[in-house]
Amino acid sequence: MRYPHADLTEFTTALLRHVGADAAQAAAMTERLLDADLLGHRTHGLWFLSNYLERISGGHIRTSGEIEVVHREPGAAAWRAHRLPGAWVLGEATALLLDDVRERATSTITIADCSHIGCLQSYLPPFTERGLLVQLTATDPGVASVAAPGGTNPVITTNPIAMGIPTRGAPLLIDQCTSVGSNALFDDYAARGERLPGEWLLDAAGVPTDDPAVLTGEPKGTIQSLGQAEFGYKGFGFGLMSEALSLALTGYGRRSRPHRFGQGVFLQVIDPAKFAGSTEFLDEVDHLVSTVRADPGRDGRPPRLPGERALASRADQLRNGVELHPDALVRLAPWARRAGVPLPRG
């Protein structure tokens, strides 16, 4: 089923307003949730909206209060968001960096105790469309689901990392976990009672398994790092990099044992014009892109670049209607009844 983007926007905004989000917060959260569906990240799209509604209703996402400025100087800022809506907070941070980087080569912000920000890829285009290089990492110090290579105790979580790289054509939009998959992915499989396509998890004894139920058993299993048993140390290393940027720099980490639903965020923008120059930068990136596209590919199609499928999906769905996760509206039906809002019609 496909649904008009405008109808989904109205529906999502109405549910968020019903549980207490103000107009600006609801608009930001709606845009990011729908963008996740448009880009193909369906576990972070409207399927995830019910989580946000529960968290707002339970006080885990706050809809009142202000962002605390911990530190500010030209090119650097540190905020504490006090569980305000992540999409709205990241919108404010994006506006600050875009203004800041006009006068300098780079600008960085860290955000402590921010509620869930969702699909990282969705935050990259406002920078790449201005010819800026951007990197973003986020993680929740209240969640541990990934063990160190050779270990069985979860110490970090799936730690997504993202980078937007401008080109003269479509940007490169990299967004990936440092583990085999996100927590939301495995929650989705578990909710459907399905096995995974591969042995992406480890049970409590460290044995590979395709059963998502091990993550909620006692003792709990863990998610494998990228590279899995043989090369998982590489993915775990990237996970530690994310922890240093998203948690240690924000001063909001695992040491204080915070309860879940608060994230640490690292967002940095770089202006290539103030280094070797935009022309040199774009010449190099475009050359790299052209060499990838020149490869005929094993099956007669050239290799796909990061973000290529996501942008094609977005364009198609804006034209022809948004495809939702099969369970998205099922999860939202009780909320729609409480709010007196009709479900969208496909």
Side-chain angles (χ1 to χ4, degrees):
M1 296 289 288
R2 288 181 180 249
Y3 301 83
H5 184 266
D7 291 357
L8 293 180
T9 297
E10 183 178 356
F11 171 73
T12 304
T13 302
L15 293 188
L16 288 165
R17 294 302 306 275
H18 175 73
V19 295
D22 68 26
Q25 294 166 352
M29 296 174 80
T30 295
E31 184 175 4
R32 296 285 75 82
L33 285 163
L34 285 177
D35 221 26
D37 277 316
L38 291 172
L39 295 167
H41 299 267
R42 307 217 182 275
T43 57
H44 285 69
L46 286 202
W47 182 86
F48 206 86
L49 173 58
S50 58
N51 296 55
Y52 285 162
L53 298 173
E54 289 171 6
R55 293 178 190 182
I56 293 173
S57 299
H60 302 298
I61 295 177
R62 297 177 59 216
T63 55
S64 62
E66 296 182 354
I67 297 170
E68 176 188 353
V69 178
V70 178
H71 176 78
R72 180 72 173 110
E73 65 178 68
W79 288 354
R80 183 172 287 269
H82 298 292
R83 305 291 172 102
L84 288 166
W88 176 79
V89 173
L90 261 289
E92 297 294 296
T94 294
L96 183 146
L97 294 193
L98 287 174
D99 182 64
D100 214 30
V101 80
R102 290 186 301 176
E103 304 297 329
R104 49 193 55 87
T106 182
S107 187
T108 306
I109 188 168
T110 64
I111 307 170
D113 201 18
C114 182
S115 73
H116 190 263
I117 67 172
C119 169
L120 270 60
Q121 195 173 51
S122 175
Y123 295 98
L124 307 179
F127 298 99
T128 57
E129 67 190 17
R130 292 168 172 80
L132 302 170
L133 186 68
V134 58
Q135 52 186 330
L136 171 62
T137 71
T139 191
D140 186 335
V143 178
S145 53
V146 177
T152 58
N153 294 326
V155 290
I156 64 174
T157 188
T158 54
N159 289 6
I161 55 176
M163 174 174 277
I165 306 172
T167 77
R168 290 189 176 90
L172 306 181
L173 303 177
I174 302 165
D175 179 359
Q176 58 197 50
C177 293
T178 58
S179 61
V180 177
S182 68
N183 289 300
L185 173 71
F186 300 115
D187 289 345
D188 183 28
Y189 273 96
R192 298 199 308 267
E194 295 180 9
R195 309 290 284 205
L196 301 170
E199 294 182 332
W200 298 347
L201 306 175
L202 300 173
D203 66 17
V207 178
T209 178
D210 63 356
D211 182 7
V214 302
L215 296 179
T216 53
E218 285 299 338
K220 290 181 172 58
T222 58
I223 301 169
Q224 295 204 58
S225 293
L226 278 178
Q228 296 174 266
E230 191 171 3
F231 297 109
Y233 65 92
K234 296 185 178 183
F236 190 75
F238 286 125
L240 294 180
M241 290 168 59
S242 174
E243 295 271 320
L245 295 171
S246 305
L247 299 183
L249 276 183
T250 66
Y252 175 74
R254 300 182 183 278
R255 183 167 54 102
S256 60
R257 300 183 180 275
H259 62 82
R260 66 180 306 170
F261 305 133
Q263 292 187 319
V265 179
F266 171 88
L267 178 61
Q268 183 176 69
V269 60
I270 300 170
D271 185 357
K274 298 180 176 71
F275 289 87
S278 293
T279 298
E280 289 292 329
F281 176 85
L282 292 172
D283 284 347
E284 288 297 330
V285 175
D286 287 352
H287 173 75
L288 182 58
V289 168
S290 68
T291 59
V292 172
R293 296 199 184 284
D295 186 333
R298 184 176 57 192
D299 57 359
R301 291 180 297 179
R304 191 174 65 241
L305 289 158
E308 185 175 354
R309 182 168 62 182
L311 291 174
S313 168
R314 190 177 196 281
D316 169 65
Q317 292 182 86
L318 286 174
R319 273 195 314 270
N320 302 311
V322 182
E323 294 182 12
L324 297 182
H325 186 289
D327 297 332
L329 293 184
V330 174
R331 289 161 59 91
L332 291 170
W335 293 99
R337 285 194 296 271
R338 287 173 219 158
V341 176
L343 290 171
R345 300 187 63 168

